[in-house]
Amino acid sequence: MTALFARHALLPDGWRRDVLLQWGGDGRFTAVTPDAPAMDGSESAGIETADYVLPGMINLHSHSFQRALSGLTEIAGEDRAKSADSFWTWRDLMYRFALGIAPEQMEAIAAQLFAECLRHGYTSICEFNYVHRAPDGALYPDVAETARRVIAAARHAGIGITMLPVLYAHAGFGGAPLRDEQRRFRAGPADVLAIVAALEPLRGPMVEVGVAPHSLRAASVAQIRDLLAGLSPERPVHIHIAEQGGEVQQCIDHSGRRPVQFLYDNLPVDERWCLVHATHVADDEVAAIAASGAVAGLCPTTEANLGDGLFPLAPFLERGGRFGIGSDSHVSTSPVEELRWLEYGQRLAGQRRNVAVTTDERRVGDHLWRAALAGGAQAAGRRVGALAPGYAADLLVLDEAHPNVSAPPELLNGFVFSGNDNLVKDVLAGGQWVVRGRQHVAQAAIAGRFKETLANLRELRP
Ligand SMILES: [Zn+2]
């Protein structure tokens, strides 16, 4: 089957009726034709039909191995008075886990994560991969060992991937040496560029390779410059920028400036950049990100889970800022929940309603889905996020029989804001049907391997 007839489909210019979508063997749309002749008897003509079709969402921030920790770090420490639980106590648990995990286990966990992401409507993912080395801190014979494992998992599950090997050199601002428990993460600019070069043959319609300086804590300006100098100018660049108040203060102590100010003063930040967790930003930083065309990478469920804080979405949108969503630590694998929390956080903080809108788009669900598609596609550096010729043939078919699914223009508001059932019925990614009737096509094998891996990792988990 290389065509689908959609009675309603969300195209770049909005909802259209009677859309014939066709794709080729390379996994890209070859033609997208609205107002196509009615497809009566189309099943027999070999063309499947669907009522409601959307472009698949892009998940712009993932540490796939952390999926094995979700649900396991929600226990308070014993001495509440002495040390309240925080991002930093969570990070110690995560480090402990990361130290013991083997490459084949990373692959099994990633495959389960990617299958879940597909079932909920993500058809692309950006993997911020920083576990590079063996548990003893030595390089693997193949420097790209762990990145290759995660890409193999993406292929197995059928999700498009942007692999971002991470530059990770310091434990804090000013070049502080890495702690012993960070030994698996160590990678300078030359190491990261060696991984990028090793992955070059894997690039294609479903795989792109960029880079990610971990943060301004873990990578110096000079190292980031060296990294960019060795990279093709069109490749995506992601960075954790201002997730925690403590890290903002450390940046001020080190440089006299806040992280976003410091970044923009020292590096040529433009549309290839994705600033992940731009949580703690002052007014001038909001303006700088918006003006540069960089994407703000927002991960509302993880940011809530870790007690990070709230990104100032309204002033950012007023300035035309671009954003996308990511599931980061994977406490949720649903773009609906990510977008809902993004909007609800703003409503709670501002004691107002309907924040994520523009003068042209006053439906919140519509603006959230479409803006996150555009921002996510830009951050992924792949031709995704649009039902249009030349783009990856990635689409979602919603369950037309479900009471929460109604015809456009109500569809996206109902999809994002109504109930908790997963309304995604079928998913096409890269021209392949990877979810049918809510089941991932390789679900049994992937889930079996994942469960076995979790059992083997039991003593490493908190
Ligand atoms: Zn992250």
Side-chain angles (χ1 to χ4, degrees), residues 115-121 397-405 415 420-428 433-444:
E116 288 171 9
C117 284
L118 285 161
R119 281 200 298 108
H120 288 90
V397 177
L398 300 193
D399 180 359
E400 71 287 343
H402 194 287
N404 290 351
V405 175
F415 181 46
N420 294 297
D421 288 345
N422 179 10
L423 303 178
V424 177
K425 189 178 73 172
D426 302 314
V427 178
L428 183 83
W433 289 107
V434 289
V435 174
R436 283 296 209 179
R438 290 202 171 79
Q439 297 287 307
H440 188 275
V441 293
Q443 193 150 306

Side-chain angles (χ1 to χ4, degrees), residues 188-257:
D191 299 318
V192 174
L193 291 171
I195 296 170
V196 170
L199 297 176
E200 199 63 22
L202 301 183
R203 291 178 63 232
M206 294 293 278
V207 180
E208 181 53 288
V209 181
V211 296
H214 177 274
S215 58
L216 296 172
R217 285 179 274 132
S220 71
V221 166
Q223 288 169 329
I224 299 172
R225 286 202 183 116
D226 286 349
L227 180 65
L228 297 181
L231 190 75
S232 305
E234 79 286 1
R235 302 291 185 86
V237 181
H238 292 215
I239 187 170
H240 291 140
I241 190 64
E243 181 168 10
Q244 283 281 319
E247 129 181 74
V248 174
Q249 191 54 50
Q250 289 160 17
C251 188
I252 292 170
D253 293 345
H254 167 69
S255 69
R257 280 167 249 163

